């Protein structure tokens, strides 16, 4: 067998790697449905555009966000919360596409969390230089459910810390099509994204889009 054929066979089969207690990295898991996912993102954004939100501390986030599903994550001067209404359109967030829901459920099952039924999907858009500082995701009522993240477009350095803000983060490169299931003891770990390096992605151009699927109640 030639090295090339061996490589292409290896790429066709997503790998499953436990990167921390309860956190499973599924390399390339979303790749087979990349076109459907990107088309769905475009439809969501047509209805609820990306916007840079303001934190309670008065800072404008560098990452632009939107949501789909029954509820969406928002931040403003008064705090962080999940809300059924997009404050920009005063209408419900776009429905979660079946291709999103199914991907999140299949990924969670591969990661050991069968029956994952997300009610919210936060869609983050990174441009070169934008970053997400170290934080915990704890606005969800059901912390027993995992969070499933899907990376599309330019790759990013993901920072994965511990349960204390002071724990030195490990760094992982997340590339187009990678899916991570964050559950169990990793669910409340501090995490963030280093400033995005410039580049050009064949499908998304100078952008990274990250989907995070959540069960908020
Ligand atoms: C680890 N998003 O939206 S995805 C977020 O790439 C967020 O846009 C990042 O952090 C991004 O809140 C990282 C990976 C991720 C998401 C949720 C987690 C890692 C997590 C929750 C707990 C532990
Ligand atoms: Fe997060």
């Amino acid at each position: 067998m030639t090295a090339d054929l061996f490589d292409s066979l290896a790429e066709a089969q997503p790998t499953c790697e436990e990167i921390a207690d309860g956190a499973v990295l599924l390399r390339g898991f979303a790749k087979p449905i990349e076109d459907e996912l990107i088309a769905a993102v475009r439809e969501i954004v047509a209805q609820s555009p990306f916007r840079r939100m303001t934190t309670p501390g008065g800072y404008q986030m560098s990452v632009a966000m939107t949501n789909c599903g029954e509820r969406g994550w928002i931040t403003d001067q008064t705090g962080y919360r999940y809300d059924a209404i997009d404050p920009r359109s005063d209408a419900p967030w776009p429905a979660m596409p079946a291709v999103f829901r199914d991907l999140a459920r299949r990924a969670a099952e591969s990661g050991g969390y069968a029956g994952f039924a997300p009610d919210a999907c936060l869609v983050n858009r990174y441009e070169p230089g934008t970053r997400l500082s170290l934080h915990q995701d704890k606005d969800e009522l059901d912390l027993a459910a995992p969070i499933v993240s899907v990376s599309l477009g330019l790759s990013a350095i993901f920072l994965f810390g511990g349960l204390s803000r002071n724990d030195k983060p490990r760094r992982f490169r997340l590339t187009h099509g990678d899916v991570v299931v964050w559950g169990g003891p990793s669910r409340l770990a501090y995490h963030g994204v280093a400033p995005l390096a410039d580049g050009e992605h064949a499908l998304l151009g100078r952008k990274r889009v990250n989907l995070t699927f959540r069960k908020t109640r």
Side-chain angles (χ1 to χ4, degrees):
M1 189 186 295
T2 69
D4 282 357
L5 178 54
F6 183 79
D7 285 350
S8 60
L9 287 170
E11 274 167 25
Q13 184 62 51
T15 65
C16 178
E17 182 194 351
E18 184 157 30
I19 57 173
D21 201 3
V24 177
L25 170 55
L26 305 163
R27 287 267 182 223
F29 192 88
K31 197 98 201 320
I33 55 168
E34 59 188 0
D35 292 334
E36 292 93 321
L37 293 174
I38 290 169
V41 169
R42 293 195 201 287
E43 285 184 34
I44 290 160
V45 168
Q47 213 175 309
S48 281
F50 284 120
R51 80 293 306 265
R52 290 173 61 201
M53 301 187 207
T54 301
T55 67
Y59 292 98
Q60 191 179 33
M61 299 183 76
S62 68
V63 175
M65 300 176 164
T66 186
N67 292 276
C68 66
E70 289 158 57
R71 307 215 291 156
W73 185 85
I74 53 179
T75 176
D76 60 20
Q77 320 275 21
T78 71
Y80 312 107
R81 64 192 175 277
Y82 284 95
D83 203 307
I85 301 297
D86 174 356
R88 187 64 59 97
S89 64
D90 282 326
W93 298 100
M96 193 182 299
V99 64
F100 276 23
R101 195 182 299 279
D102 294 350
L103 173 66
R105 174 175 289 259
R106 286 188 293 111
E109 184 158 0
S110 298
Y113 301 89
F116 180 52
D119 60 357
C121 174
L122 173 62
V123 185
N124 294 335
R125 184 199 65 196
Y126 296 78
E127 288 175 332
T130 65
R131 62 192 288 270
L132 193 62
S133 56
L134 224 53
H135 67 277
Q136 292 173 296
D137 289 19
K138 52 181 186 185
D139 299 328
E140 303 75 25
L141 292 179
D142 182 358
L143 294 174
I147 289 182
V148 172
S149 77
V150 179
S151 292
L152 297 170
L154 290 179
S155 65
I157 301 293
F158 176 73
L159 308 170
F160 186 60
L163 296 178
S164 158
R165 189 182 278 283
N166 300 322
D167 296 337
K168 185 182 153 95
R170 295 158 67 200
R171 301 163 82 87
F172 295 94
R173 177 173 292 276
L174 293 181
T175 66
H176 178 77
D178 290 350
V179 177
V180 192
V181 180
W182 311 92
S186 77
R187 178 64 182 75
L188 285 175
Y190 278 88
H191 59 278
V193 178
L196 195 76
D198 202 354
E200 180 74 27
H201 185 269
L203 299 178
L204 285 179
R206 295 175 72 199
K207 272 197 270 301
R208 170 176 189 260
V209 170
N210 182 262
L211 314 174
T212 46
F213 294 94
R214 298 135 187 279
K215 187 173 187 306
T216 69
R217 54 182 167 183

